[in-house]
Amino acid sequence: MGKSTLDPRGTQYCSDQTVIKRLRNPLRKVPGPWYAGWTNLPLKLAVISGRRIHHVHALHRKYGPLVRIAPNEIAVNDLKSFKQIHGISSGFCKDKWYASSVILDREGVFNMVDTKAHASRRRLLARPFSKTYLREHWEGEVRVKVSFAISAMSNELHSRGTTDVLKWWTLMASDISSQLMFGDSFHTLEHEYSKGKWYRKRALNSWGRLPPSSHPSFQGAFGNDMWLLDYGKAAVRNMKAAGGGKNVFANIMAEAEKGESIDDLDIQVEATNLIVAGTDTTAITLTYLVWAVMSHTQVRRQLEEEVRALSEDYKDVDLERLPYLNAVLDETLRLYGAAPGALPRAVPPSGATLNDCFLPGGTTVTTQSYSLHRDPNLFPSPEILMPERWTSKDQPYSISENGRAAYSPFGAGSRTCLGIHLAYLELRLAAVEFFRNVSHEAVLAPSATDACMEQENFFLIAPAGHKCEIALKQ
Ligand code: HEM
């Protein structure tokens, strides 16, 4: 008794070895703050305070395109490396961080790391998420929900004098997602608060606000949403219902029989994941679109003029041809796309050279479109909202080929957003209806300040004030 099990010489040896290992680590050559080689604490602090994108952006400004931000993590912000990391068959797989969002021990298309398994699942989901399929089967349903949200916004504007666009876009996007994925809408638009649990969770305390790289938080988000997972069972029931066609998975089983494998639990997990992936993302992007356009009188006038010239029976296909609407969407997604933060990838086992720096296999590399989209070499006067950069040619501010290559609000390569066509369908229809029917009688409310709209970042971004109010024009 009494003899310590810790041999001080052994402890000393271990800490010496740790120091030696760190001093020999090839990542020491990557520029960055002195502490990044020793601790990830400052990064974690930025994460839990919702400032990760801003923290990393400031480090890029100080140290350049390659910055060591934690002992095993490098932030990357140059076009060549971005293409190298996210190019198809690049060998850079999704980092182990994605495992923290796995539910019911089943990986879904979002968090699968294995490239073969992922490619097979993507093939299976490709058809229901294609533009043609969505337009044919779901455009009508999306329009109904958009119209409901627009009427509700307008009614509230008249009855109360103000309305919160973040709230209505969140309810709308959540009803669209639940209708498409589960075949059973949450009807949050009709009842506004009766499913308040959903609304509050998504809009105010959402998955999007949870810190990345924290297992318990991610798991907690889904754990607390067990009712949502239970709802996922409806996706399976409706998929199998006679006649099919009730949700996006209706024809998947037939496809699966041709060779890809998917079972009921996979459908339940995918449906739940897709609701989470498709709701806040769209609602937040639309919210920033309204705020950005309403803050720029000339942009607003031009957009209103274009969308009001549409005939009453316009279709989504007509909206794709509107130059200014699409330029506004591109510019909003450049500055305020809802997922502009770190997309972590693992360096392939053999290592890789990025920006003349060798990084050993297993190093985590992250790119963030927040910084790429604000690179003045790619986007002149990057902080200025300028839809014209997408439509004008041969002007100093016109978008260059490199700018287009770096533009990535939906990610890039084989892991680019599966829901991109659904997102655009919602963004186009909702923006058009808002600027045809609501904007002319509204102004931004005094509460919609820059501070309120500051981008808080917990994987997704969200307005720091958790609302975006407009007021009835006097
Ligand atoms: C404006 C709206 C949206 C934005 C800005 C957005 C953004 C993104 C981004 C940046 C990624 C890449 C993530 C990564 O590499 O880690 C992504 C992936 C994904 N998104 Fe979206 N998204 C939006 C809407 C949607 C919708 C509506 C759905 C589906 C209903 C969806 C489903 C997915 C899925 C499943 C993935 C993973 C794809 C894969 O790994 O193969 N997203 N999204």
Side-chain angles (χ1 to χ4, degrees), residues 151-385:
S151 306
M153 243 182 235
S154 181
N155 290 343
E156 194 168 85
L157 192 59
H158 284 276
S159 60
R160 292 195 196 157
T162 61
T163 188
D164 175 9
V165 294
L166 173 60
K167 175 182 78 176
W168 290 110
W169 294 141
T170 304
L171 299 178
M172 181 196 81
S174 123
D175 279 2
I176 293 174
S177 300
S178 49
Q179 184 70 56
L180 268 71
M181 307 320 149
F182 293 165
D184 193 4
S185 167
F186 291 151
H187 299 286
T188 62
L189 279 167
E190 284 105 304
H191 305 299
E192 194 175 341
Y193 288 111
S194 72
K195 290 262 188 193
K197 210 169 89 177
W198 165 260
Y199 164 60
R200 274 193 297 279
K201 266 176 118 47
R202 293 287 150 251
L204 305 175
N205 186 23
S206 68
W207 174 78
R209 297 185 59 229
L210 287 165
S213 355
S214 68
H215 263 240
S217 308
F218 245 142
Q219 299 277 356
F222 286 103
N224 295 338
D225 271 353
M226 282 318 284
W227 67 275
L228 183 60
L229 262 171
D230 275 347
Y231 231 106
K233 291 180 188 150
V236 179
R237 268 195 316 277
N238 286 323
M239 174 188 73
K240 293 179 173 169
K246 289 210 172 140
N247 65 26
V248 290
F249 302 108
N251 297 312
I252 271 187
M253 282 308 192
E255 289 293 316
E257 277 158 20
K258 290 182 201 158
E260 316 293 351
S261 79
I262 191 159
D263 64 17
D264 288 2
L265 189 59
D266 289 321
I267 297 288
Q268 188 187 347
V269 165
E270 289 294 10
T272 309
N273 281 345
L274 287 167
I275 290 225
V276 173
T279 301
D280 284 345
T281 42
T282 310
I284 287 165
T285 304
L286 270 171
T287 301
Y288 274 106
L289 185 146
V290 166
W291 175 70
V293 174
M294 302 274 286
S295 327
H296 293 79
T297 316
Q298 195 46 42
V299 175
R300 171 187 166 156
R301 272 202 205 114
Q302 209 167 322
L303 182 60
E304 285 178 346
E305 206 171 289
E306 188 181 76
V307 300
R308 288 211 193 121
L310 281 162
S311 66
E312 281 302 315
D313 59 349
Y314 73 84
K315 296 269 185 303
D316 181 55
V317 70
D318 304 313
L319 306 186
E320 236 180 352
R321 296 185 201 117
L322 297 184
Y324 204 67
L325 169 72
N326 290 293
V328 166
L329 280 174
D330 285 341
E331 191 65 345
T332 305
L333 283 159
R334 182 180 72 80
L335 286 170
Y336 309 112
L343 305 180
R345 299 293 187 263
V347 171
S350 53
T353 301
L354 295 180
N355 216 314
D356 296 331
C357 247
F358 178 77
L359 308 179
T363 307
T364 299
V365 284
T366 53
T367 55
Q368 58 174 31
S369 63
Y370 182 89
S371 297
L372 266 178
H373 290 178
R374 282 168 177 76
D375 180 338
N377 299 315
L378 297 167
F379 302 94
S381 308
E383 297 290 349
I384 300 178
L385 182 96

Side-chain angles (χ1 to χ4, degrees), residues 86 94 97-98 108-112 118 122 125 129 177 181 270 273-275 277-283 285-286 333 336-345 369 408-412 414-424 426-427 459-460:
H86 294 284
K94 277 195 170 176
W97 172 79
Y98 287 87
V109 69
F110 178 74
N111 39 39
M112 282 174 166
H118 171 261
R122 269 299 280 230
L125 295 173
F129 284 95
S177 300
M181 307 320 149
E270 289 294 10
N273 281 345
L274 287 167
I275 290 225
T279 301
D280 284 345
T281 42
T282 310
T285 304
L286 270 171
L333 283 159
Y336 309 112
L343 305 180
R345 299 293 187 263
S369 63
S408 50
F410 292 96
S414 60
R415 306 308 294 252
T416 194
C417 179
L418 173 72
I420 186 168
H421 299 300
L422 176 59
Y424 271 119
E426 292 183 51
L427 293 174
F459 188 64
L460 300 186

